Amino acid sequence: MKICSPQLGVSPLSSLGGEIYDWQTLKGFTERGIEVYAYLPKDRHYDTRLKNFHVTYAPIKHIIPPWLFSFICLPYLFRTYREEKFDILRIHSPRYLGPAAIIFHLFHPEVPILASHVTVDPPPLYYPVEWLTFKIAKKIIVQSQYLKSILIEKYGVFPDKIAVTYGGQLAAQKENTEIPSRLKTLVPSTPMVLFMGVLVKRKNPLFLVDVLKESKKEIPDLKLVVIGDGPMKNALVKKLKSEDLTSDAILIDQAYGAEKSYWFKRMDVFLLPSFDEGFGLSATEAMSFAKPVIASDRAAFSEIITSGKDGYTLPLNASLWCQKIVKLLKNPNRASAIGRHAKKTVEGKFSWKKTYDLNLQVAKSMIK
């Protein structure tokens, strides 16, 4: 089987959950003997160890706005189909690559389209392109039942067309034994809560300051670690300063591999207060480290967490989050029990092997 998959990014080091999911999906295809032909922006990083993974670079490195990539990759699609006769055209992020799929489909309707949809917000500008891409796609893969319901209700997609393939948990890296310099001034037992994600409005990062402020009334030495960067970074810094909490927050633009593992193992509780989320890969990653996760009671989090058993889903009320954090930090046995259940949950329900197998089943069903 041959799959052509133009990509805006497919780096295993990405801070974007959707890109990590896509890399893992393509990795699963190649490990099962499928030839994958990918088109990437110039010099974009990818895992060069993958076998059966054929990358061609676009002549342009930075593509803004990203939907322009649809038109840049069109010559590649037609040329690659002429030379390789791929079996499936896979389109990740239909809002950006949908135009390429639509135009290619006009000339080659015999090639089935597999769409991968990970975004939760349907802006009016992209809605027509996404709607038409979903209409011509033979199958659509999403990461949660929540996303499936969005496609059915907002785009009118038939349920039988949609396959839910959850993401997995990332394998824990060997811990960095060297203490990061910014922690050397802290007492080793300092309690710590962690957030990791792109700092955008949808992730609700400013809520973390409210939670920190409230929690410090009960646990004065509590520290907040934020791993991520984005357009809300300045607003986060400003709010920390206005609440006189700058010295109580550790802000890290990015952390990978052993360094990231250090923070996951060092933290006490993981916080994810998103307004909306298609899945929540960082939540399953935290759970794989046997750590309690507190997430908002919105979006897909209830599919990941059974509240009170392997984590908590709560309304976005800072006092409620504070109460739960304080209880976990003052009751280590309870926190450990929640963490053990969390790790058991992700190992049983959210494995990349299951994701690979389901994606392969979907792909095979398209070319029978």
Side-chain angles (χ1 to χ4, degrees):
M1 187 189 300
K2 296 180 179 181
I3 295 177
C4 183
S5 186
Q7 303 284 149
L8 278 162
V10 66
S11 171
L13 301 179
S14 175
S15 59
L16 301 174
E19 186 170 343
I20 292 294
Y21 177 87
D22 225 38
W23 164 65
Q24 287 282 359
T25 299
L26 296 181
K27 177 174 177 282
F29 281 142
T30 62
E31 289 176 346
R32 283 152 178 75
I34 295 176
E35 301 289 333
V36 174
Y37 296 85
Y39 192 63
L40 293 171
K42 184 179 180 181
D43 299 331
R44 195 62 59 91
H45 175 70
Y46 70 96
D47 188 349
T48 57
R49 299 169 298 176
L50 296 184
K51 296 180 180 180
N52 307 314
F53 193 60
H54 313 282
V55 171
T56 299
Y57 280 124
I60 302 173
K61 187 172 184 178
H62 300 291
I63 300 168
I64 301 173
W67 54 263
L68 284 176
F69 194 53
S70 271
F71 302 97
I72 294 171
C73 77
L74 270 174
Y76 165 82
L77 294 183
F78 286 109
R79 182 178 68 251
T80 304
Y81 184 67
R82 185 175 62 250
E83 295 173 355
E84 301 295 341
K85 286 292 185 288
F86 50 80
D87 301 289
I88 294 172
L89 173 59
R90 182 178 180 276
I91 294 296
H92 179 73
S93 192
R95 65 181 50 179
Y96 301 139
L97 289 163
I102 294 165
I103 296 171
F104 183 85
H105 182 72
L106 290 174
F107 291 90
H108 294 289
E110 74 279 8
V111 179
I113 295 173
L114 172 61
S116 173
H117 185 64
V118 299
T119 49
V120 290
D121 53 328
L125 177 65
Y126 296 120
Y127 182 88
V129 170
E130 291 181 328
W131 178 86
L132 186 52
T133 304
F134 296 146
K135 187 174 180 62
I136 64 175
K138 190 168 183 178
K139 287 287 185 179
I140 305 166
I141 287 177
V142 295
Q143 294 183 65
S144 63
Q145 294 292 338
Y146 174 69
L147 267 177
K148 180 177 180 178
S149 69
I150 289 177
L151 291 189
I152 294 170
E153 295 169 11
K154 295 186 178 181
Y155 294 89
V157 178
F158 291 113
D160 291 347
K161 205 175 190 178
I162 308 169
V164 176
T165 61
Y166 290 115
Q169 81 279 5
L170 301 181
Q173 301 282 335
K174 183 178 180 181
E175 182 180 344
N176 189 350
T177 55
E178 183 179 348
I179 300 175
S181 58
R182 67 192 84 210
L183 268 187
K184 290 181 178 178
T185 57
L186 298 182
V187 177
S189 60
T190 300
M192 196 171 290
V193 292
L194 172 69
F195 166 88
M196 184 179 73
V198 182
L199 299 180
V200 293
K201 187 175 181 179
R202 179 174 57 81
K203 298 280 188 179
N204 197 19
L206 300 187
F207 180 75
L208 298 167
V209 182
D210 297 329
V211 173
L212 177 63
K213 179 182 178 181
E214 191 77 18
S215 300
K216 282 183 68 64
K217 295 175 184 177
E218 297 289 335
I219 306 176
D221 55 343
L222 180 67
K223 300 297 179 183
L224 166 68
V225 178
V226 175
I227 300 177
D229 199 1
M232 294 287 290
K233 176 71 174 288
N234 289 338
L236 178 62
V237 171
K238 184 177 179 180
K239 186 167 184 177
L240 285 166
K241 186 176 181 179
S242 69
E243 298 290 355
D244 196 24
L245 292 171
T246 302
S247 62
D248 298 299
I250 299 172
L251 306 183
I252 306 169
D253 286 345
Q254 57 189 18
Y256 303 117
E259 182 184 356
K260 184 171 70 170
S261 290
Y262 177 91
W263 292 107
F264 271 104
K265 291 178 180 178
R266 175 64 180 79
M267 72 165 177
D268 296 289
V269 183
F270 187 79
L271 307 180
L272 197 54
S274 303
F275 290 119
D276 211 350
E277 202 81 58
F279 178 62
L281 196 60
S282 60
T284 59
E285 187 170 10
M287 293 166 74
S288 73
F289 282 84
K291 298 292 184 175
V293 174
I294 302 176
S296 67
D297 60 352
R298 305 184 180 194
F301 295 134
S302 62
E303 296 176 50
I304 300 172
I305 298 168
T306 300
S307 195
K309 179 182 178 182
D310 49 22
Y312 297 93
T313 53
L314 300 175
L316 289 170
N317 178 295
S319 295
L320 291 177
W321 285 55
C322 166
Q323 291 171 22
K324 199 62 66 178
I325 290 169
V326 170
K327 285 183 179 179
L328 287 169
L329 292 178
K330 291 188 175 182
N331 190 344
N333 291 335
R334 176 61 176 164
S336 295
I338 292 288
R340 289 195 300 271
H341 283 297
K343 186 172 183 177
K344 186 176 180 180
T345 295
V346 294
E347 289 176 345
K349 187 176 180 181
F350 304 110
S351 73
W352 286 118
K353 182 182 183 304
K354 287 185 178 181
T355 304
Y356 300 157
D357 292 343
L358 286 169
N359 273 277
L360 184 58
Q361 289 175 24
V362 172
K364 285 182 175 179
S365 72
M366 294 174 63
I367 60 174
K368 287 183 178 179

